[in-house]
Amino acid sequence: MTLHFNAFIWPNGYHESAWRVVPDDVNGVLGLPYYAEIARIAERGLLDSVFLADNIAIAEYRATHLPQTQFDPISVLSALAAVTSHIGLIGTGSTTYSKPWELARRFATLDHLSGGRAGWNIVTTITPLAAANFGEQVHPEHADRYARAHEFVDVVTRVWDSWDDDAVIGDRENGVWADRSRLHAPRFHGQYYDVEGVQPFPRSPQGHPVLVQAGQSAAGIGLAARYAELVFSGPPSLEAAVAFRTDLHAQVVAAGRDPGQVSVLPALMVTLGGTEAEAQARADRLEELASPEFRWQNALYTAGFDPDAFDPDAPLPADLLAGPAPSSRAGQLFSAARAHPDAPLREIARQITGGAGQMHFVGTPEQLADHVIAWQDAGAVDGFTIMGSTLPYELAAFVDHVVPILQRRGQFRTEYTGSMLRDHLGLARPGVR
Ligand SMILES: Cc1cc2nc3c(=O)[nH]c(=O)nc-3n(C[C@H](O)[C@H](O)[C@H](O)COP(=O)(O)O)c2cc1C
């Protein structure tokens, strides 16, 4: 089984100190050439896809510590479609702060313009700061967000299915562009959404853009089991990752789906070097520059809290800890705080891993190739979402040095066998429901 790789695009790299060590102009991450270079490197390495996150509210502390480049992912990916030919283009879209008809249209547009390379990372949005940006009084609770997400994804797929694949007949003689009888309006009236009409253009090349999910809570995994074809979450230890994928597959089967149609590519931050010592020195340099101020604020923000409301030199408030954790990341933070009830927030935050809960691999290309193969052989993963600690350096090193090793060992493709993202991932094209 070939491995699969998704390249996570982030300004200057995923490590919080990346922007301080790369030689590039600090404003480079605001221009298309930065994104185009990363996408071209990923395509040169025959990776499955590139990926853009979406954060629809930023806490202002982030502007101090990190480059802020949260553009609209579909706009960026549409531009990348024009400068690449094969690489998959996965963007994030929120079910809590979008309308399903509108989101369906945007991702299907990308699928058309890219010739079938679009994917949608379905998120429910953790940060409550989003509510105020969208004119909402409250950020819905975790369970409510996931209940809406199920209905949302269902409606989106109905919109995508509102044209039969053969609806366009282009009959010039009789003046019939499309056969109206092959259109099927959703006419959906559910608990949360009402969506009446058809998509404003024919069905897209993949039928459905590839559905992706990265939730780690029980509800998140439940949504993945029902809909996802690609899963970006997974715990950082090998044993836990095997259990995670096994459980996910069992839930996929229970949902009446084929586990062979669901790939697990957990996030893995990588720092590479020609020797172990060189890689370690690069990682140490990034860590030396890491800001303790950023750490505690980021631990709160990624768990779904507003850091401005907390005192870093006091323990987490007891009344907060007594209540339910609003996300899986908050659960990790609460467990660390309960284990050390007198420790100030600063200390607790040090025990929490990076933004997406990923682990940090530091080593040589050979060591990374061994790691990837060992995890695949153990049944923990189908590949990884590669987060270069610095970009584009780490991605170029992965493509130029890790990919050839995997190819020599027969574990990775030596050419693209199709042009669509579904082809790269071995996913079936969904028929019209
Ligand atoms: C690789 C990866 C990428 C993610 N990208 C986003 C993102 O772009 N926007 C977002 O709001 N959440 C993102 N998340 C967070 C998850 O989608 C999910 O919201 C989070 O894990 C909390 O949900 P849970 O409580 O079900 O785990 C990402 C997570 C991972 C592992």
Side-chain angles (χ1 to χ4, degrees):
M1 287 278 273
T2 191
L3 285 155
H4 299 283
F5 295 107
N6 170 50
F8 198 123
I9 305 180
W10 198 250
N12 298 131
Y14 202 78
H15 195 283
E16 68 201 66
S17 311
W19 71 277
R20 298 177 65 188
V21 305
V22 298
D24 315 20
D25 178 339
V26 287
N27 289 307
V29 294
L30 296 167
L32 180 57
Y34 176 75
Y35 300 90
E37 184 183 6
I38 291 176
R40 287 192 179 114
I41 293 170
E43 187 164 86
R44 172 158 63 76
L46 307 174
L47 305 199
D48 295 73
S49 52
V50 291
F51 165 70
L52 281 176
D54 194 24
N55 296 293
I56 49 178
I58 60 159
E60 290 181 15
Y61 81 93
R62 296 178 75 77
T64 306
H65 301 284
L66 298 173
Q68 293 306 309
T69 60
Q70 189 55 78
F71 298 136
D72 168 30
I74 297 291
S75 302
V76 179
L77 295 171
S78 298
L80 296 183
V83 298
T84 54
S85 58
H86 285 75
I87 191 86
L89 304 166
I90 301 176
T92 301
S94 172
T95 51
T96 306
Y97 293 100
S98 314
K99 300 273 190 189
W101 192 90
E102 176 263 343
L103 182 140
R105 177 193 189 205
R106 293 170 65 237
F107 278 88
T109 299
L110 178 64
D111 205 42
H112 272 293
L113 295 186
S114 65
R117 296 188 278 143
W120 169 33
N121 176 37
I122 307 160
V123 300
T124 65
T125 300
I126 302 179
T127 179
L129 299 174
N133 288 357
F134 286 78
E136 301 290 344
Q137 297 298 319
V138 288
H139 180 59
E141 297 286 334
H142 192 264
D144 189 21
R145 295 202 304 273
Y146 275 104
R148 288 168 193 243
H150 275 265
E151 190 175 302
F152 190 111
V153 182
D154 179 33
V155 186
V156 166
T157 59
R158 287 170 194 262
V159 176
W160 287 337
D161 286 345
S162 60
W163 292 59
D164 283 347
D165 283 316
D166 58 0
V168 177
I169 48 178
D171 182 347
R172 289 198 164 99
E173 208 168 310
N174 294 302
V176 181
W177 191 75
D179 177 356
R180 190 178 163 179
S181 73
R182 297 180 205 176
L183 269 56
H184 313 285
R187 305 204 195 295
F188 181 89
H189 301 287
Q191 197 180 341
Y192 305 102
Y193 302 104
D194 293 291
V195 173
E196 190 66 17
V198 297
Q199 177 169 276
F201 47 77
R203 201 159 187 254
S204 74
Q206 295 187 104
H208 297 173
V210 172
L211 295 177
V212 184
Q213 225 279 322
Q216 339 214 350
S217 63
I221 295 163
L223 184 68
R226 175 72 189 81
Y227 291 107
E229 299 168 293
L230 206 50
V231 171
F232 287 166
S233 47
S237 84
L238 178 61
E239 206 176 46
V242 173
F244 174 84
R245 186 165 167 274
T246 306
D247 173 50
L248 173 68
H249 281 174
Q251 293 193 44
V252 167
V253 171
R257 300 177 57 218
D258 171 8
Q261 293 285 297
V262 183
S263 290
V264 179
L265 312 183
L268 179 67
M269 180 155 74
V270 303
T271 298
L272 293 168
T275 62
E276 211 177 316
E278 187 194 320
Q280 194 59 55
R282 299 187 67 244
D284 289 348
R285 177 75 184 130
L286 290 166
E287 281 301 306
E288 274 159 31
L289 292 170
S291 156
E293 286 304 301
F294 173 77
R295 277 276 149 98
W296 71 262
Q297 295 180 89
N298 202 47
L300 288 170
Y301 172 72
T302 57
F305 300 107
D306 179 358
D308 287 351
F310 289 80
D311 174 2
D313 298 310
L316 269 183
D319 56 337
L320 184 71
L321 285 178
S327 68
S328 57
R329 296 276 300 163
Q332 290 168 21
L333 189 66
F334 285 13
S335 308
R338 285 192 193 108
H340 307 277
D342 299 324
L345 177 53
R346 270 182 211 290
E347 295 288 327
I348 299 302
R350 273 197 212 123
Q351 300 169 29
I352 307 292
T353 51
Q358 78 286 351
M359 65 186 267
H360 186 177
F361 180 92
V362 181
T364 64
E366 289 74 18
Q367 288 171 329
L368 181 53
D370 288 343
H371 175 86
V372 166
I373 290 171
W375 277 53
Q376 186 194 30
D377 286 350
V381 300
D382 299 285
F384 286 96
T385 290
I386 300 293
M387 295 169 151
S389 61
T390 73
L391 284 173
Y393 177 88
E394 249 70 33
L395 184 63
F398 183 83
V399 161
D400 293 333
H401 301 290
V402 181
V403 164
I405 298 172
L406 297 171
Q407 287 171 329
R408 277 200 297 279
R409 296 192 196 171
Q411 306 272 28
F412 193 58
R413 65 175 71 91
T414 52
E415 59 182 0
Y416 285 117
T417 52
S419 61
M420 298 200 199
L421 179 55
R422 289 187 176 276
D423 299 329
H424 310 336
L425 293 166
L427 294 173
R429 186 179 189 281
V432 169
R433 177 158 43 163

